């Protein structure tokens, strides 16, 4: 089992920044690719970013590319999502997830999920 706890969400004005953290415990963190997903009210859960277990490879969705970055610190068992130039459309609950294997964009490939952290961007 891998336990994931997200933090860092909150209310921010459009154009502002937030950094989300996801702390992992349980099995060896460096064995898992990590992903960030988000779910807005009335919308499907969508892929935001993912990073390989080594941190060498990362992917971002088109909607956040150029504004968000994903990083991980395997010594701290933590993955981060730095969110800059936030827009009201970024408002959602953000979830981190862990997967054995490559850094997937398909949420069905992820085995473990956190409880989520709310991000609200006001206009």
């Amino acid at each position: 089992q891998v336990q994931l706890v997200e933090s860092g969400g909150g209310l921010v004005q459009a154009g502002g920044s937030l950094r989300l953290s996801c702390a992992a415990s349980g099995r060896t963190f460096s064995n898992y690719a990590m992903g960030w997903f988000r779910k807005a009210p009335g919308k499907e859960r969508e892929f935001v970013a993912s990073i390989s277990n080594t941190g060498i490879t990362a992917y971002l969705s088109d909607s956040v590319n150029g504004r968000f970055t994903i990083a991980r610190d395997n010594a701290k068992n933590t993955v981060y999502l730095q969110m800059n130039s936030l827009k009201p459309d970024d408002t959602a609950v953000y979830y981190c997830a862990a997967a054995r294997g490559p850094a997937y964009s398909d949420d069905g490939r992820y085995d473990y999920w956190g409880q989520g952290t709310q991000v609200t961007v006001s206009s």
Side-chain angles (χ1 to χ4, degrees):
Q1 288 282 351
V2 176
Q3 292 78 42
L4 302 171
V5 179
E6 301 95 338
S7 61
L11 174 63
V12 65
Q13 288 189 330
S17 298
L18 284 174
R19 187 176 81 156
L20 305 184
S21 299
C22 173
S25 61
R27 297 192 176 178
T28 306
F29 180 68
S30 60
N31 286 344
Y32 292 83
M34 299 298 295
W36 285 98
F37 294 81
R38 65 187 182 187
K39 188 177 187 313
K43 294 185 178 180
E44 298 281 323
R45 184 166 62 190
E46 66 169 338
F47 168 75
V48 176
S50 61
I51 189 166
S52 63
N53 64 318
T54 61
I56 292 175
T57 305
Y59 300 98
L60 296 166
S61 70
D62 289 344
S63 62
V64 307
N65 195 19
R67 300 187 297 122
F68 293 11
T69 56
I70 186 171
R72 66 188 295 160
D73 185 337
N74 284 348
K76 295 183 178 179
N77 290 354
T78 302
V79 62
Y80 305 96
L81 185 68
Q82 178 66 45
M83 306 186 296
N84 299 328
S85 302
L86 282 161
K87 305 175 181 179
D89 282 350
D90 296 318
T91 295
V93 178
Y94 283 71
Y95 300 89
C96 71
R100 294 299 298 265
Y104 302 110
S105 60
D106 177 0
D107 61 358
R109 297 286 194 136
Y110 287 80
D111 303 302
Y112 303 102
W113 291 82
Q115 292 300 306
T117 185
Q118 175 71 47
V119 171
T120 303
V121 184
S122 64
S123 57

